[in-house]
Amino acid sequence: MSDTLKIVLAQLNLKVGDLHYNLKKHEQAALTARDELHADIIVFSELSLTGYSPEDLLFRPAFIQATEDALRQLLATITGIHCVVGHPQKIKDKLFNACTVFYNGQILGVYQKQVLPNYSIFDEYRYFSPGSKFCIVEIKNIPIGLCICEDLWVNEPVKQACQNGARLILSPNASPFELNKPQRRLATIRARAQDNKVPILYANQVGGQDELIFDGGSMAIDATGTLFESASFFQEALLPITFTLPTLHHQNNDAIDKNLSMDAAVYQALVLGVKDYVEKNNFKDVLIGLSGGIDSALTTTIAVDALGPHRVRGILMPSRFTAEISNQDALLLAKNLGIETQTISIEPTYEQFLATLATHFQNHPKDATEENIQARIRAIILMAFSNKFGSLVLSTGNRSELAVGYCTLYGDMAGGFAVLKDIPKTLVYQLTHFRNQLNDVIPERIITRPPTAELAFNQRDEDSLPPYPILDEILKLYLNHEKSIAEIIAAGFNESEVNKVVNLIRKNEYKRRQAAIGPRINYKAFGRDRRYPVVNGYKG
């Protein structure tokens, strides 16, 4: 028999919990790999049958049973090609994160993930028991070892497989995107291949799942740690790889390194995150409050790139504090993008609120209360349109604002998906410049004008906050790197500014608990990455 294998890495966009949909995707991919790419093996991603991660669906016996039924259907349906399929495996009172290798209805081997991640967004010990054994399957005289995702981030599982005869490692993965993750991922897989002198084929999933974005980038690494082939990022792919002992063979020498610039990667991640959240939740279109500011402009542009202009609607809601240039810039943006807009003044409603509360607020000076009323009126209008027409409201606040609470609860925080939730203000500007390099859609005045909430006359963000470049550096040190106040001050930042920023972060934890989810870009993003108590007396 031949010792050459053609292997296809299936980089698919799956739906968590939609077993019928995922089953069909598996069947279609396997048929294409078999009949068009003439593959011997197709490797799907981690928990591919259920999508990653099913979270507490895994506690439901009926869901586990349905997954087992779907796996049996795959075994009965797909013939003529070896399949590596990811799925939960129930054995007595234990659940494993597993993958099964089968051919023509026969199970050739089952591997149970040994290294379960339990940090950052990962919570696998909540659901799974760790496996303890290697699994080697011989296909066309080639002994193949299996490892799943986190198994590759330590050396032992690959080493164990190789010591027991594996000449090739196949690895299903569900590795989500974050800044610099593709580079760290590549370096890790290279190290495993070099340490064990074995080729590794890495199949990652792609697509948005709640706040997580899976970027794909499936790849083949040879025994020297050389990248032989890779799939594109942020799109589905069936990547064919030819393997003959003892090495791999190039498929496309000109298309190996598909790494994107940071701005391009983040922008594509946001576009994919919006597209999948809207479509997988069956929303027909989205609504955005257009203010003429840079956050709403970038959010709207991302939405149009994700969904097309016919599925994006902008609502202008000016007040007495709205500058005419804000309306002009918002309308010019809408024209450039080709989206429909409507203008609804909040002034009559705002006047009525002030009149209603006047007696109760007499002898009290105006403050943020009156500013927040405006934001909440706008939220009511957006949510009314959402209820009436079934549209999803995209909120437009950025990470910097959310960190320090420079946003209105039940006001501009209202919405179903917060597109810029994990994007610092300085990165908002970078992404805007990046997008305008593709084609100039965001008016220059939106970019150059000092940011303002326009909830009072002559208001600027810097009246309340440090300049954004300073603020974002303090936030990075405190939130991402978990530096103390003393360490941040020692790094050269102004003591009063650092104390103010950290105090605002602490005071506004309750707001972040109630914020809409949004695409995760940063390590230590707000949400599952960062779980701080709302009632918290620590001040360091």
Side-chain angles (χ1 to χ4, degrees):
M1 295 181 68
S2 170
D3 58 0
T4 296
L5 290 174
K6 178 163 278 190
I7 303 160
V8 167
L9 305 181
Q11 182 171 293
L12 302 181
N13 192 337
L14 303 162
K15 291 183 182 179
V16 165
D18 193 337
L19 299 175
H20 177 75
Y21 177 86
N22 294 342
L23 191 61
K24 293 301 179 186
K25 295 279 284 190
H26 281 69
E27 291 171 351
Q28 291 165 3
L31 291 176
T32 300
R34 184 192 69 189
D35 298 340
E36 298 179 24
L37 300 175
H38 309 295
D40 301 295
I41 308 172
I42 184 168
V43 184
F44 294 96
S45 56
E46 179 179 11
L47 293 181
S48 57
L49 270 186
T50 62
Y52 191 95
S53 164
E55 298 185 327
D56 283 8
L57 287 172
L58 293 168
F59 289 141
R60 301 184 68 87
F63 180 72
I64 299 300
Q65 181 62 55
T67 303
E68 292 172 354
D69 293 343
L71 181 61
R72 278 192 290 271
Q73 184 172 336
L74 266 187
L75 264 70
T77 303
I78 300 175
T79 59
I81 185 170
H82 296 79
C83 294
V84 182
V85 176
H87 59 92
Q89 182 191 34
K90 184 79 170 181
I91 300 178
K92 296 182 180 178
D93 61 342
K94 291 184 177 181
L95 190 67
F96 297 95
N97 183 339
C99 63
T100 290
V101 185
F102 66 87
Y103 181 72
N104 286 344
Q106 298 297 312
I107 293 177
L108 306 182
V110 179
Y111 175 72
Q112 297 162 348
K113 185 176 181 180
Q114 297 185 64
V115 183
L116 302 180
N118 218 58
Y119 57 87
S120 182
I121 59 164
F122 300 105
D123 206 10
E124 289 200 14
Y125 271 102
R126 178 176 173 85
Y127 309 107
F128 298 116
S129 297
S132 59
K133 298 178 181 178
F134 66 90
C135 177
I136 294 177
V137 176
E138 189 168 295
I139 300 175
K140 295 179 70 174
N141 295 330
I142 297 176
I144 299 171
L146 299 169
C147 288
I148 298 176
C149 204
E150 194 76 8
D151 288 332
L152 295 178
W153 291 77
V154 300
N155 193 46
E156 190 57 34
V158 178
K159 179 181 177 182
Q160 184 187 53
C162 291
Q163 287 177 338
N164 285 277
R167 304 293 300 275
L168 173 67
I169 299 293
L170 302 181
S171 179
N173 292 265
S175 179
F177 173 76
E178 64 187 46
L179 291 174
N180 301 316
K181 183 69 171 290
Q183 293 82 358
R184 290 191 288 113
R185 193 187 289 142
L186 175 58
T188 298
I189 308 312
R190 277 177 163 161
R192 291 294 84 75
Q194 290 171 335
D195 291 345
N196 297 282
K197 298 179 176 56
V198 65
I200 299 175
L201 304 192
Y202 181 102
N204 196 21
Q205 76 173 45
V206 70
Q209 172 55 37
D210 295 345
E211 65 265 60
L212 300 183
I213 302 159
F214 296 91
D215 55 333
S218 301
M219 58 184 140
I221 306 291
D222 78 0
T224 70
T226 300
L227 175 64
F228 261 68
E229 182 59 286
S230 64
S232 297
F233 290 95
F234 303 108
Q235 56 187 273
E236 290 190 307
L238 295 178
L239 181 68
I241 308 292
T242 300
F243 173 78
T244 303
L245 284 174
T247 189
L248 302 168
H249 295 288
H250 285 298
Q251 298 300 305
N252 185 352
N253 292 332
D254 298 324
I256 292 173
D257 188 359
K258 299 182 174 68
N259 273 327
L260 302 166
S261 70
M262 186 197 75
D263 291 344
V266 171
Y267 193 86
Q268 290 190 28
L270 295 176
V271 168
L272 181 59
V274 170
K275 179 180 176 63
D276 277 0
Y277 192 83
V278 171
E279 295 192 342
K280 290 179 181 180
N281 282 301
N282 300 313
F283 287 101
K284 62 178 183 178
D285 54 22
V286 298
L287 291 168
I288 301 166
L290 288 183
S291 67
I294 192 168
D295 295 323
S296 68
L298 181 60
T299 300
T300 306
T301 305
I302 290 168
V304 169
D305 287 344
L307 305 168
H310 61 291
R311 298 178 67 187
V312 180
R313 186 190 311 188
I315 310 291
L316 285 71
M317 295 168 285
S319 76
R320 65 185 71 175
F321 303 117
T322 304
E324 183 55 32
I325 59 173
S326 297
N327 294 326
Q328 293 170 0
D329 290 345
L331 290 171
L332 178 56
L333 172 76
K335 179 181 177 182
N336 291 346
L337 293 172
I339 68 168
E340 176 189 342
T341 65
Q342 291 171 272
T343 300
I344 303 171
S345 172
I346 69 166
E347 191 59 31
T349 309
Y350 184 50
E351 289 178 354
Q352 185 61 56
F353 265 101
L354 294 180
T356 300
L357 295 168
T359 301
H360 306 283
F361 286 179
Q362 63 183 348
N363 301 323
H364 291 272
K366 290 185 178 180
D367 56 18
T369 304
E370 286 75 16
E371 296 182 13
N372 291 338
I373 287 171
Q374 298 166 67
R376 290 178 176 128
I377 292 169
R378 292 183 172 119
I380 289 171
I381 292 170
L382 288 170
M383 294 310 301
F385 271 78
S386 176
N387 291 160
K388 186 63 69 175
F389 301 109
S391 306
L392 175 70
V393 174
L394 300 181
S395 61
T396 62
N398 60 64
R399 176 182 169 90
S400 307
E401 295 169 343
L402 191 60
V404 296
Y406 194 65
C407 46
T408 303
L409 192 61
Y410 320 125
D412 57 310
M413 290 177 66
F417 200 61
V419 179
L420 306 179
K421 180 178 182 178
D422 203 25
I423 306 298
K425 187 75 167 189
T426 48
L427 184 52
V428 169
Y429 283 99
Q430 284 180 229
L431 294 177
T432 302
H433 285 295
F434 165 79
R435 180 57 182 82
N436 269 5
Q437 290 172 1
L438 303 180
N439 64 315
D440 203 358
V441 293
I442 300 176
E444 183 65 20
R445 187 165 60 187
I446 288 179
I447 302 171
T448 59
R449 185 182 174 201
T452 171
E454 289 195 319
L455 298 174
F457 286 119
N458 300 316
Q459 185 182 56
R460 292 188 178 189
D461 291 5
E462 289 187 10
D463 296 337
S464 304
L465 302 172
Y468 280 113
I470 295 173
L471 174 62
D472 284 350
E473 283 301 311
I474 294 173
L475 294 176
K476 183 195 297 184
L477 290 170
Y478 188 77
L479 297 173
N480 289 48
H481 300 299
E482 297 182 322
K483 299 295 184 182
S484 69
I485 291 174
E487 288 173 317
I488 298 171
I489 294 169
F493 292 90
N494 179 274
E495 181 176 354
S496 63
E497 285 189 334
V498 173
N499 280 303
K500 177 181 179 179
V501 169
V502 172
N503 187 48
L504 288 171
I505 293 170
R506 292 180 61 254
K507 284 173 57 178
N508 287 284
E509 192 67 47
Y510 78 101
K511 284 188 181 180
R512 292 188 290 273
R513 286 290 184 96
Q514 300 178 67
I517 66 169
R520 174 186 180 270
I521 301 300
N522 279 283
Y523 177 74
K524 291 290 184 183
F526 294 129
R528 288 186 294 177
D529 267 316
R530 186 178 184 276
R531 308 177 197 183
Y532 275 67
V534 174
V535 180
N536 173 16
Y538 180 70
K539 299 181 180 180

